[in-house]
Amino acid sequence: MTNQRRSYETGHKPKCLVIVDDTAEWDRAVYYASRWAIRAGGGVVMLRIIETEDQNQQWLGVAEVMRAEAHEEANAALDRAAGRANGIAAITPERVIREGDPAEQIVDVIDNDVDISMLVLAANPGPEGPGPLITIMAKTVGSFPIPVTIVPGDLSDEAIDALS
């Protein structure tokens, strides 16, 4: 069950959640969220999800090495995204790394931070579709606990500046 949002209560500030993944358009979501944070006086929470699969017990050692490498890659991706946000808005975003099903992890992060008031995603502008995360989220967006903003992946910085 999702907790009541408290973003605008005394002692709280609104935050938007941004997913940092391996798609080309993640930068558009980070840019929009960072610009929003400036205007709203809010913060940004960046989430990197490591998708896990059931590991065969006999390969546990290999699985642990792969898990450690995935965490290193996740931290590197969050470093790039945090650097981008800091360059745009002079903010230091919160960073979260989760493992598991993306939709479940997104909802859990929202449930655990009552100040998150918006999810920002970016859509792939190409003919192959909006991207895996938006495709997954589209199935549940009608019952999602917070507003979801989808930024077109081909918007320029100037176009996003005009919108945020």
Side-chain angles (χ1 to χ4, degrees), residues 5-55:
R5 303 290 93 198
R6 302 185 68 194
S7 307
Y8 293 97
E9 293 180 11
T10 303
H12 295 267
K13 73 176 184 177
K15 300 176 192 174
C16 63
L17 177 62
V18 178
I19 311 306
V20 177
D21 57 16
D22 292 327
T23 62
E25 58 274 1
W26 68 263
D27 178 73
R28 301 296 72 206
V30 168
Y31 192 91
Y32 181 92
S34 300
R35 293 285 302 166
W36 172 87
I38 293 170
R39 304 249 181 181
V44 175
V45 177
M46 294 184 173
L47 173 62
R48 176 71 176 212
I49 301 167
I50 299 169
E51 293 187 53
T52 57
E53 297 178 20
D54 292 332
Q55 304 294 332

mmCIF file of all heavy atoms in Angstrom, residues 5-55:
data_model
loop_
_atom_site.group_PDB
_atom_site.id
_atom_site.type_symbol
_atom_site.label_atom_id
_atom_site.label_comp_id
_atom_site.label_asym_id
_atom_site.label_seq_id
_atom_site.Cartn_x
_atom_site.Cartn_y
_atom_site.Cartn_z
ATOM 1 N N ARG A 5 1.363 10.950 0.346
ATOM 2 C CA ARG A 5 2.447 11.856 -0.023
ATOM 3 C C ARG A 5 2.486 13.024 0.960
ATOM 4 O O ARG A 5 1.451 13.529 1.378
ATOM 5 C CB ARG A 5 2.255 12.410 -1.437
ATOM 6 C CG ARG A 5 2.145 11.353 -2.514
ATOM 7 C CD ARG A 5 3.426 10.598 -2.803
ATOM 8 N NE ARG A 5 3.500 9.383 -2.008
ATOM 9 C CZ ARG A 5 4.613 8.689 -1.772
ATOM 10 N NH1 ARG A 5 5.752 9.082 -2.249
ATOM 11 N NH2 ARG A 5 4.602 7.619 -1.046
ATOM 12 N N ARG A 6 3.688 13.459 1.326
ATOM 13 C CA ARG A 6 3.841 14.554 2.278
ATOM 14 C C ARG A 6 4.738 15.646 1.707
ATOM 15 O O ARG A 6 5.233 16.499 2.434
ATOM 16 C CB ARG A 6 4.423 14.003 3.573
ATOM 17 C CG ARG A 6 3.517 12.903 4.169
ATOM 18 C CD ARG A 6 3.986 12.421 5.477
ATOM 19 N NE ARG A 6 3.818 13.513 6.444
ATOM 20 C CZ ARG A 6 4.382 13.515 7.633
ATOM 21 N NH1 ARG A 6 5.132 12.512 8.024
ATOM 22 N NH2 ARG A 6 4.191 14.521 8.453
ATOM 23 N N SER A 7 4.954 15.641 0.416
ATOM 24 C CA SER A 7 5.917 16.487 -0.269
ATOM 25 C C SER A 7 5.852 17.963 0.088
ATOM 26 O O SER A 7 6.879 18.631 0.148
ATOM 27 C CB SER A 7 5.736 16.365 -1.782
ATOM 28 O OG SER A 7 5.766 15.026 -2.175
ATOM 29 N N TYR A 8 4.664 18.474 0.301
ATOM 30 C CA TYR A 8 4.515 19.917 0.503
ATOM 31 C C TYR A 8 4.172 20.284 1.937
ATOM 32 O O TYR A 8 3.817 21.424 2.219
ATOM 33 C CB TYR A 8 3.479 20.474 -0.477
ATOM 34 C CG TYR A 8 3.987 20.379 -1.903
ATOM 35 C CD1 TYR A 8 3.630 19.315 -2.724
ATOM 36 C CD2 TYR A 8 4.870 21.333 -2.412
ATOM 37 C CE1 TYR A 8 4.118 19.212 -4.010
ATOM 38 C CE2 TYR A 8 5.358 21.234 -3.701
ATOM 39 C CZ TYR A 8 4.983 20.180 -4.501
ATOM 40 O OH TYR A 8 5.476 20.071 -5.782
ATOM 41 N N GLU A 9 4.293 19.327 2.859
ATOM 42 C CA GLU A 9 4.067 19.628 4.262
ATOM 43 C C GLU A 9 5.323 20.263 4.860
ATOM 44 O O GLU A 9 6.434 20.106 4.336
ATOM 45 C CB GLU A 9 3.721 18.351 5.030
ATOM 46 C CG GLU A 9 2.385 17.759 4.643
ATOM 47 C CD GLU A 9 2.068 16.484 5.419
ATOM 48 O OE1 GLU A 9 2.777 16.164 6.396
ATOM 49 O OE2 GLU A 9 1.094 15.812 5.037
ATOM 50 N N THR A 10 5.154 20.946 5.969
ATOM 51 C CA THR A 10 6.278 21.554 6.666
ATOM 52 C C THR A 10 7.316 20.482 6.989
ATOM 53 O O THR A 10 6.989 19.403 7.466
ATOM 54 C CB THR A 10 5.799 22.233 7.968
ATOM 55 O OG1 THR A 10 4.793 23.186 7.629
ATOM 56 C CG2 THR A 10 6.942 22.918 8.688
ATOM 57 N N GLY A 11 8.564 20.798 6.714
ATOM 58 C CA GLY A 11 9.652 19.863 6.972
ATOM 59 C C GLY A 11 9.917 18.890 5.844
ATOM 60 O O GLY A 11 10.793 18.041 5.953
ATOM 61 N N HIS A 12 9.168 18.995 4.779
ATOM 62 C CA HIS A 12 9.329 18.113 3.625
ATOM 63 C C HIS A 12 9.565 18.954 2.381
ATOM 64 O O HIS A 12 9.296 20.152 2.369
ATOM 65 C CB HIS A 12 8.078 17.254 3.411
ATOM 66 C CG HIS A 12 7.838 16.287 4.530
ATOM 67 N ND1 HIS A 12 8.301 15.002 4.503
ATOM 68 C CD2 HIS A 12 7.188 16.432 5.706
ATOM 69 C CE1 HIS A 12 7.942 14.386 5.612
ATOM 70 N NE2 HIS A 12 7.255 15.242 6.365
ATOM 71 N N LYS A 13 10.066 18.321 1.337
ATOM 72 C CA LYS A 13 10.160 18.983 0.037
ATOM 73 C C LYS A 13 9.849 17.979 -1.045
ATOM 74 O O LYS A 13 10.125 16.787 -0.902
ATOM 75 C CB LYS A 13 11.529 19.623 -0.172
ATOM 76 C CG LYS A 13 12.653 18.658 -0.420
ATOM 77 C CD LYS A 13 13.937 19.411 -0.718
ATOM 78 C CE LYS A 13 15.045 18.425 -1.063
ATOM 79 N NZ LYS A 13 16.263 19.093 -1.422
ATOM 80 N N PRO A 14 9.258 18.448 -2.128
ATOM 81 C CA PRO A 14 8.896 17.512 -3.198
ATOM 82 C C PRO A 14 10.144 16.978 -3.895
ATOM 83 O O PRO A 14 11.146 17.670 -4.034
ATOM 84 C CB PRO A 14 8.059 18.375 -4.144
ATOM 85 C CG PRO A 14 8.553 19.758 -3.920
ATOM 86 C CD PRO A 14 8.924 19.831 -2.465
ATOM 87 N N LYS A 15 10.042 15.729 -4.317
ATOM 88 C CA LYS A 15 11.125 15.091 -5.067
ATOM 89 C C LYS A 15 10.522 14.395 -6.266
ATOM 90 O O LYS A 15 9.388 13.932 -6.219
ATOM 91 C CB LYS A 15 11.825 14.031 -4.216
ATOM 92 C CG LYS A 15 12.464 14.515 -2.952
ATOM 93 C CD LYS A 15 13.026 13.317 -2.202
ATOM 94 C CE LYS A 15 13.434 13.644 -0.804
ATOM 95 N NZ LYS A 15 13.849 12.428 -0.069
ATOM 96 N N CYS A 16 11.309 14.347 -7.325
ATOM 97 C CA CYS A 16 10.878 13.506 -8.431
ATOM 98 C C CYS A 16 11.849 12.343 -8.553
ATOM 99 O O CYS A 16 13.033 12.455 -8.236
ATOM 100 C CB CYS A 16 10.728 14.284 -9.726
ATOM 101 S SG CYS A 16 12.204 15.003 -10.349
ATOM 102 N N LEU A 17 11.308 11.227 -8.957
ATOM 103 C CA LEU A 17 12.068 10.000 -9.127
ATOM 104 C C LEU A 17 12.394 9.838 -10.602
ATOM 105 O O LEU A 17 11.516 9.971 -11.455
ATOM 106 C CB LEU A 17 11.232 8.810 -8.634
ATOM 107 C CG LEU A 17 11.834 7.420 -8.785
ATOM 108 C CD1 LEU A 17 13.121 7.278 -7.981
ATOM 109 C CD2 LEU A 17 10.815 6.360 -8.358
ATOM 110 N N VAL A 18 13.655 9.586 -10.892
ATOM 111 C CA VAL A 18 14.113 9.380 -12.260
ATOM 112 C C VAL A 18 14.802 8.027 -12.330
ATOM 113 O O VAL A 18 15.603 7.686 -11.460
ATOM 114 C CB VAL A 18 15.116 10.474 -12.692
ATOM 115 C CG1 VAL A 18 15.634 10.232 -14.085
ATOM 116 C CG2 VAL A 18 14.508 11.846 -12.589
ATOM 117 N N ILE A 19 14.508 7.277 -13.369
ATOM 118 C CA ILE A 19 15.134 5.984 -13.569
ATOM 119 C C ILE A 19 16.337 6.172 -14.487
ATOM 120 O O ILE A 19 16.213 6.714 -15.583
ATOM 121 C CB ILE A 19 14.157 4.968 -14.212
ATOM 122 C CG1 ILE A 19 12.817 4.963 -13.474
ATOM 123 C CG2 ILE A 19 14.789 3.586 -14.269
ATOM 124 C CD1 ILE A 19 12.879 4.727 -11.998
ATOM 125 N N VAL A 20 17.492 5.751 -14.024
ATOM 126 C CA VAL A 20 18.715 5.819 -14.824
ATOM 127 C C VAL A 20 18.980 4.408 -15.330
ATOM 128 O O VAL A 20 19.335 3.521 -14.560
ATOM 129 C CB VAL A 20 19.903 6.350 -13.988
ATOM 130 C CG1 VAL A 20 21.181 6.349 -14.815
ATOM 131 C CG2 VAL A 20 19.599 7.740 -13.447
ATOM 132 N N ASP A 21 18.772 4.222 -16.617
ATOM 133 C CA ASP A 21 18.935 2.892 -17.201
ATOM 134 C C ASP A 21 19.929 2.954 -18.347
ATOM 135 O O ASP A 21 20.693 3.911 -18.466
ATOM 136 C CB ASP A 21 17.582 2.316 -17.630
ATOM 137 C CG ASP A 21 16.847 3.205 -18.620
ATOM 138 O OD1 ASP A 21 17.460 4.110 -19.216
ATOM 139 O OD2 ASP A 21 15.635 2.987 -18.812
ATOM 140 N N ASP A 22 19.927 1.941 -19.178
ATOM 141 C CA ASP A 22 20.893 1.864 -20.278
ATOM 142 C C ASP A 22 20.342 2.413 -21.593
ATOM 143 O O ASP A 22 20.978 2.250 -22.630
ATOM 144 C CB ASP A 22 21.347 0.411 -20.473
ATOM 145 C CG ASP A 22 22.175 -0.076 -19.302
ATOM 146 O OD1 ASP A 22 22.903 0.729 -18.699
ATOM 147 O OD2 ASP A 22 22.084 -1.274 -18.975
ATOM 148 N N THR A 23 19.184 3.038 -21.565
ATOM 149 C CA THR A 23 18.626 3.581 -22.797
ATOM 150 C C THR A 23 19.331 4.889 -23.155
ATOM 151 O O THR A 23 19.919 5.553 -22.303
ATOM 152 C CB THR A 23 17.114 3.849 -22.655
ATOM 153 O OG1 THR A 23 16.912 4.826 -21.629
ATOM 154 C CG2 THR A 23 16.358 2.565 -22.333
ATOM 155 N N ALA A 24 19.241 5.260 -24.406
ATOM 156 C CA ALA A 24 19.868 6.495 -24.871
ATOM 157 C C ALA A 24 19.163 7.733 -24.327
ATOM 158 O O ALA A 24 19.769 8.799 -24.207
ATOM 159 C CB ALA A 24 19.879 6.520 -26.401
ATOM 160 N N GLU A 25 17.898 7.603 -23.986
ATOM 161 C CA GLU A 25 17.110 8.772 -23.612
ATOM 162 C C GLU A 25 17.089 9.086 -22.112
ATOM 163 O O GLU A 25 16.450 10.046 -21.684
ATOM 164 C CB GLU A 25 15.675 8.656 -24.133
ATOM 165 C CG GLU A 25 14.919 7.453 -23.669
ATOM 166 C CD GLU A 25 15.135 6.211 -24.501
ATOM 167 O OE1 GLU A 25 15.904 6.235 -25.484
ATOM 168 O OE2 GLU A 25 14.544 5.186 -24.153
ATOM 169 N N TRP A 26 17.807 8.339 -21.275
ATOM 170 C CA TRP A 26 17.791 8.611 -19.831
ATOM 171 C C TRP A 26 18.170 10.057 -19.543
ATOM 172 O O TRP A 26 17.670 10.669 -18.605
ATOM 173 C CB TRP A 26 18.693 7.646 -19.052
ATOM 174 C CG TRP A 26 20.162 7.833 -19.310
ATOM 175 C CD1 TRP A 26 20.926 7.136 -20.179
ATOM 176 C CD2 TRP A 26 21.035 8.787 -18.689
ATOM 177 N NE1 TRP A 26 22.223 7.597 -20.155
ATOM 178 C CE2 TRP A 26 22.314 8.614 -19.242
ATOM 179 C CE3 TRP A 26 20.859 9.790 -17.730
ATOM 180 C CZ2 TRP A 26 23.415 9.383 -18.874
ATOM 181 C CZ3 TRP A 26 21.963 10.555 -17.363
ATOM 182 C CH2 TRP A 26 23.221 10.353 -17.924
ATOM 183 N N ASP A 27 19.049 10.614 -20.357
ATOM 184 C CA ASP A 27 19.502 11.987 -20.152
ATOM 185 C C ASP A 27 18.365 12.995 -20.233
ATOM 186 O O ASP A 27 18.347 13.988 -19.510
ATOM 187 C CB ASP A 27 20.579 12.332 -21.191
ATOM 188 C CG ASP A 27 21.053 13.751 -21.052
ATOM 189 O OD1 ASP A 27 21.792 14.039 -20.085
ATOM 190 O OD2 ASP A 27 20.669 14.592 -21.895
ATOM 191 N N ARG A 28 17.382 12.734 -21.078
ATOM 192 C CA ARG A 28 16.245 13.654 -21.205
ATOM 193 C C ARG A 28 15.433 13.681 -19.905
ATOM 194 O O ARG A 28 14.963 14.726 -19.476
ATOM 195 C CB ARG A 28 15.340 13.255 -22.376
ATOM 196 C CG ARG A 28 16.020 13.225 -23.738
ATOM 197 C CD ARG A 28 16.547 14.575 -24.243
ATOM 198 N NE ARG A 28 17.721 15.019 -23.508
ATOM 199 C CZ ARG A 28 18.102 16.296 -23.350
ATOM 200 N NH1 ARG A 28 17.419 17.278 -23.867
ATOM 201 N NH2 ARG A 28 19.184 16.601 -22.672
ATOM 202 N N ALA A 29 15.251 12.526 -19.288
ATOM 203 C CA ALA A 29 14.527 12.463 -18.012
ATOM 204 C C ALA A 29 15.306 13.169 -16.919
ATOM 205 O O ALA A 29 14.732 13.921 -16.117
ATOM 206 C CB ALA A 29 14.259 11.011 -17.627
ATOM 207 N N VAL A 30 16.608 12.962 -16.872
ATOM 208 C CA VAL A 30 17.451 13.637 -15.862
ATOM 209 C C VAL A 30 17.434 15.142 -16.082
ATOM 210 O O VAL A 30 17.324 15.920 -15.127
ATOM 211 C CB VAL A 30 18.890 13.074 -15.892
ATOM 212 C CG1 VAL A 30 19.835 13.939 -15.069
ATOM 213 C CG2 VAL A 30 18.900 11.638 -15.396
ATOM 214 N N TYR A 31 17.495 15.562 -17.322
ATOM 215 C CA TYR A 31 17.481 16.998 -17.617
ATOM 216 C C TYR A 31 16.154 17.616 -17.158
ATOM 217 O O TYR A 31 16.140 18.643 -16.470
ATOM 218 C CB TYR A 31 17.702 17.247 -19.114
ATOM 219 C CG TYR A 31 17.980 18.695 -19.418
ATOM 220 C CD1 TYR A 31 19.282 19.166 -19.449
ATOM 221 C CD2 TYR A 31 16.947 19.607 -19.654
ATOM 222 C CE1 TYR A 31 19.548 20.506 -19.707
ATOM 223 C CE2 TYR A 31 17.207 20.935 -19.901
ATOM 224 C CZ TYR A 31 18.507 21.381 -19.933
ATOM 225 O OH TYR A 31 18.767 22.707 -20.175
ATOM 226 N N TYR A 32 15.053 16.988 -17.536
ATOM 227 C CA TYR A 32 13.739 17.509 -17.142
ATOM 228 C C TYR A 32 13.603 17.555 -15.617
ATOM 229 O O TYR A 32 13.164 18.554 -15.050
ATOM 230 C CB TYR A 32 12.625 16.644 -17.742
ATOM 231 C CG TYR A 32 11.243 17.155 -17.396
ATOM 232 C CD1 TYR A 32 10.583 18.043 -18.245
ATOM 233 C CD2 TYR A 32 10.607 16.769 -16.225
ATOM 234 C CE1 TYR A 32 9.317 18.522 -17.925
ATOM 235 C CE2 TYR A 32 9.351 17.248 -15.903
ATOM 236 C CZ TYR A 32 8.713 18.123 -16.750
ATOM 237 O OH TYR A 32 7.469 18.608 -16.419
ATOM 238 N N ALA A 33 13.963 16.465 -14.953
ATOM 239 C CA ALA A 33 13.830 16.396 -13.494
ATOM 240 C C ALA A 33 14.695 17.449 -12.806
ATOM 241 O O ALA A 33 14.269 18.075 -11.821
ATOM 242 C CB ALA A 33 14.212 15.003 -13.001
ATOM 243 N N SER A 34 15.887 17.672 -13.322
ATOM 244 C CA SER A 34 16.780 18.671 -12.730
ATOM 245 C C SER A 34 16.226 20.082 -12.903
ATOM 246 O O SER A 34 16.259 20.891 -11.969
ATOM 247 C CB SER A 34 18.174 18.567 -13.365
ATOM 248 O OG SER A 34 18.710 17.288 -13.136
ATOM 249 N N ARG A 35 15.694 20.357 -14.075
ATOM 250 C CA ARG A 35 15.066 21.676 -14.312
ATOM 251 C C ARG A 35 13.831 21.837 -13.422
ATOM 252 O O ARG A 35 13.592 22.902 -12.859
ATOM 253 C CB ARG A 35 14.679 21.820 -15.784
ATOM 254 C CG ARG A 35 15.843 21.878 -16.732
ATOM 255 C CD ARG A 35 16.557 23.181 -16.708
ATOM 256 N NE ARG A 35 15.569 24.217 -17.031
ATOM 257 C CZ ARG A 35 15.750 25.509 -16.845
ATOM 258 N NH1 ARG A 35 16.869 25.945 -16.342
ATOM 259 N NH2 ARG A 35 14.817 26.364 -17.154
ATOM 260 N N TRP A 36 13.049 20.778 -13.279
ATOM 261 C CA TRP A 36 11.879 20.819 -12.409
ATOM 262 C C TRP A 36 12.301 21.114 -10.972
ATOM 263 O O TRP A 36 11.656 21.900 -10.276
ATOM 264 C CB TRP A 36 11.124 19.488 -12.489
ATOM 265 C CG TRP A 36 10.012 19.383 -11.490
ATOM 266 C CD1 TRP A 36 8.726 19.807 -11.653
ATOM 267 C CD2 TRP A 36 10.095 18.852 -10.169
ATOM 268 N NE1 TRP A 36 8.009 19.560 -10.504
ATOM 269 C CE2 TRP A 36 8.833 18.974 -9.579
ATOM 270 C CE3 TRP A 36 11.128 18.283 -9.426
ATOM 271 C CZ2 TRP A 36 8.562 18.554 -8.281
ATOM 272 C CZ3 TRP A 36 10.864 17.856 -8.138
ATOM 273 C CH2 TRP A 36 9.590 17.999 -7.575
ATOM 274 N N ALA A 37 13.380 20.472 -10.521
ATOM 275 C CA ALA A 37 13.861 20.667 -9.148
ATOM 276 C C ALA A 37 14.216 22.127 -8.892
ATOM 277 O O ALA A 37 13.935 22.656 -7.808
ATOM 278 C CB ALA A 37 15.060 19.761 -8.869
ATOM 279 N N ILE A 38 14.812 22.781 -9.868
ATOM 280 C CA ILE A 38 15.135 24.216 -9.722
ATOM 281 C C ILE A 38 13.844 25.003 -9.518
ATOM 282 O O ILE A 38 13.724 25.810 -8.600
ATOM 283 C CB ILE A 38 15.864 24.755 -10.970
ATOM 284 C CG1 ILE A 38 17.249 24.135 -11.111
ATOM 285 C CG2 ILE A 38 15.969 26.275 -10.906
ATOM 286 C CD1 ILE A 38 17.899 24.458 -12.449
ATOM 287 N N ARG A 39 12.887 24.807 -10.396
ATOM 288 C CA ARG A 39 11.638 25.585 -10.371
ATOM 289 C C ARG A 39 10.775 25.284 -9.156
ATOM 290 O O ARG A 39 10.139 26.171 -8.609
ATOM 291 C CB ARG A 39 10.831 25.317 -11.632
ATOM 292 C CG ARG A 39 11.600 25.592 -12.886
ATOM 293 C CD ARG A 39 11.090 26.755 -13.594
ATOM 294 N NE ARG A 39 11.898 26.908 -14.814
ATOM 295 C CZ ARG A 39 11.712 27.861 -15.636
ATOM 296 N NH1 ARG A 39 10.771 28.743 -15.423
ATOM 297 N NH2 ARG A 39 12.460 27.963 -16.700
ATOM 298 N N ALA A 40 10.737 24.029 -8.735
ATOM 299 C CA ALA A 40 9.857 23.626 -7.636
ATOM 300 C C ALA A 40 10.543 23.720 -6.272
ATOM 301 O O ALA A 40 9.890 23.553 -5.249
ATOM 302 C CB ALA A 40 9.364 22.194 -7.864
ATOM 303 N N GLY A 41 11.854 23.971 -6.287
ATOM 304 C CA GLY A 41 12.580 23.974 -5.027
ATOM 305 C C GLY A 41 12.639 22.577 -4.425
ATOM 306 O O GLY A 41 12.633 22.402 -3.210
ATOM 307 N N GLY A 42 12.673 21.599 -5.289
ATOM 308 C CA GLY A 42 12.622 20.216 -4.838
ATOM 309 C C GLY A 42 13.918 19.483 -5.042
ATOM 310 O O GLY A 42 14.971 20.074 -5.264
ATOM 311 N N GLY A 43 13.825 18.190 -4.964
ATOM 312 C CA GLY A 43 14.985 17.333 -5.128
ATOM 313 C C GLY A 43 14.745 16.263 -6.166
ATOM 314 O O GLY A 43 13.636 16.116 -6.689
ATOM 315 N N VAL A 44 15.792 15.528 -6.431
ATOM 316 C CA VAL A 44 15.737 14.452 -7.416
ATOM 317 C C VAL A 44 16.273 13.179 -6.761
ATOM 318 O O VAL A 44 17.306 13.210 -6.092
ATOM 319 C CB VAL A 44 16.572 14.794 -8.663
ATOM 320 C CG1 VAL A 44 16.614 13.623 -9.633
ATOM 321 C CG2 VAL A 44 16.038 16.042 -9.352
ATOM 322 N N VAL A 45 15.552 12.092 -6.966
ATOM 323 C CA VAL A 45 15.997 10.766 -6.538
ATOM 324 C C VAL A 45 16.256 9.974 -7.810
ATOM 325 O O VAL A 45 15.369 9.839 -8.649
ATOM 326 C CB VAL A 45 14.933 10.049 -5.678
ATOM 327 C CG1 VAL A 45 15.410 8.648 -5.304
ATOM 328 C CG2 VAL A 45 14.595 10.862 -4.445
ATOM 329 N N MET A 46 17.488 9.482 -7.947
ATOM 330 C CA MET A 46 17.846 8.698 -9.128
ATOM 331 C C MET A 46 17.895 7.230 -8.748
ATOM 332 O O MET A 46 18.569 6.852 -7.789
ATOM 333 C CB MET A 46 19.190 9.146 -9.671
ATOM 334 C CG MET A 46 19.151 10.543 -10.199
ATOM 335 S SD MET A 46 20.722 10.979 -10.928
ATOM 336 C CE MET A 46 20.268 12.557 -11.634
ATOM 337 N N LEU A 47 17.191 6.419 -9.511
ATOM 338 C CA LEU A 47 17.090 4.990 -9.246
ATOM 339 C C LEU A 47 17.700 4.198 -10.383
ATOM 340 O O LEU A 47 17.375 4.413 -11.552
ATOM 341 C CB LEU A 47 15.624 4.591 -9.070
ATOM 342 C CG LEU A 47 15.303 3.106 -8.958
ATOM 343 C CD1 LEU A 47 15.955 2.472 -7.736
ATOM 344 C CD2 LEU A 47 13.787 2.904 -8.930
ATOM 345 N N ARG A 48 18.575 3.277 -10.025
ATOM 346 C CA ARG A 48 19.131 2.323 -10.985
ATOM 347 C C ARG A 48 18.678 0.938 -10.543
ATOM 348 O O ARG A 48 18.885 0.559 -9.387
ATOM 349 C CB ARG A 48 20.657 2.411 -11.004
ATOM 350 C CG ARG A 48 21.351 1.415 -11.896
ATOM 351 C CD ARG A 48 21.147 1.730 -13.369
ATOM 352 N NE ARG A 48 21.911 0.804 -14.191
ATOM 353 C CZ ARG A 48 22.430 1.110 -15.348
ATOM 354 N NH1 ARG A 48 22.260 2.310 -15.854
ATOM 355 N NH2 ARG A 48 23.107 0.225 -16.024
ATOM 356 N N ILE A 49 18.048 0.212 -11.430
ATOM 357 C CA ILE A 49 17.531 -1.110 -11.106
ATOM 358 C C ILE A 49 18.376 -2.165 -11.805
ATOM 359 O O ILE A 49 18.591 -2.098 -13.017
ATOM 360 C CB ILE A 49 16.057 -1.257 -11.524
ATOM 361 C CG1 ILE A 49 15.217 -0.193 -10.819
ATOM 362 C CG2 ILE A 49 15.549 -2.665 -11.212
ATOM 363 C CD1 ILE A 49 13.828 -0.037 -11.369
ATOM 364 N N ILE A 50 18.846 -3.106 -11.014
ATOM 365 C CA ILE A 50 19.578 -4.247 -11.543
ATOM 366 C C ILE A 50 18.580 -5.392 -11.609
ATOM 367 O O ILE A 50 18.072 -5.832 -10.576
ATOM 368 C CB ILE A 50 20.761 -4.614 -10.631
ATOM 369 C CG1 ILE A 50 21.739 -3.441 -10.524
ATOM 370 C CG2 ILE A 50 21.453 -5.880 -11.140
ATOM 371 C CD1 ILE A 50 22.794 -3.625 -9.439
ATOM 372 N N GLU A 51 18.281 -5.819 -12.815
ATOM 373 C CA GLU A 51 17.329 -6.917 -12.970
ATOM 374 C C GLU A 51 18.044 -8.218 -12.661
ATOM 375 O O GLU A 51 19.120 -8.487 -13.191
ATOM 376 C CB GLU A 51 16.746 -6.924 -14.376
ATOM 377 C CG GLU A 51 15.864 -5.713 -14.636
ATOM 378 C CD GLU A 51 15.140 -5.786 -15.944
ATOM 379 O OE1 GLU A 51 14.457 -6.807 -16.190
ATOM 380 O OE2 GLU A 51 15.257 -4.829 -16.721
ATOM 381 N N THR A 52 17.451 -8.993 -11.768
ATOM 382 C CA THR A 52 18.058 -10.252 -11.351
ATOM 383 C C THR A 52 17.251 -11.413 -11.886
ATOM 384 O O THR A 52 16.045 -11.318 -12.092
ATOM 385 C CB THR A 52 18.126 -10.346 -9.818
ATOM 386 O OG1 THR A 52 16.807 -10.195 -9.291
ATOM 387 C CG2 THR A 52 19.042 -9.294 -9.245
ATOM 388 N N GLU A 53 17.927 -12.502 -12.089
ATOM 389 C CA GLU A 53 17.272 -13.745 -12.487
ATOM 390 C C GLU A 53 17.622 -14.777 -11.432
ATOM 391 O O GLU A 53 18.611 -14.643 -10.719
ATOM 392 C CB GLU A 53 17.791 -14.193 -13.851
ATOM 393 C CG GLU A 53 17.475 -13.201 -14.963
ATOM 394 C CD GLU A 53 18.056 -13.645 -16.298
ATOM 395 O OE1 GLU A 53 18.356 -14.848 -16.453
ATOM 396 O OE2 GLU A 53 18.218 -12.795 -17.169
ATOM 397 N N ASP A 54 16.801 -15.791 -11.326
ATOM 398 C CA ASP A 54 17.114 -16.867 -10.384
ATOM 399 C C ASP A 54 18.461 -17.470 -10.744
ATOM 400 O O ASP A 54 18.727 -17.781 -11.903
ATOM 401 C CB ASP A 54 16.038 -17.951 -10.423
ATOM 402 C CG ASP A 54 14.713 -17.453 -9.870
ATOM 403 O OD1 ASP A 54 14.742 -16.541 -9.017
ATOM 404 O OD2 ASP A 54 13.671 -17.981 -10.293
ATOM 405 N N GLN A 55 19.309 -17.600 -9.745
ATOM 406 C CA GLN A 55 20.647 -18.132 -9.969
ATOM 407 C C GLN A 55 20.694 -19.597 -9.564
ATOM 408 O O GLN A 55 20.205 -19.975 -8.515
ATOM 409 C CB GLN A 55 21.667 -17.331 -9.144
ATOM 410 C CG GLN A 55 21.654 -15.839 -9.422
ATOM 411 C CD GLN A 55 22.098 -15.499 -10.832
ATOM 412 O OE1 GLN A 55 22.868 -16.223 -11.441
ATOM 413 N NE2 GLN A 55 21.602 -14.396 -11.351
#
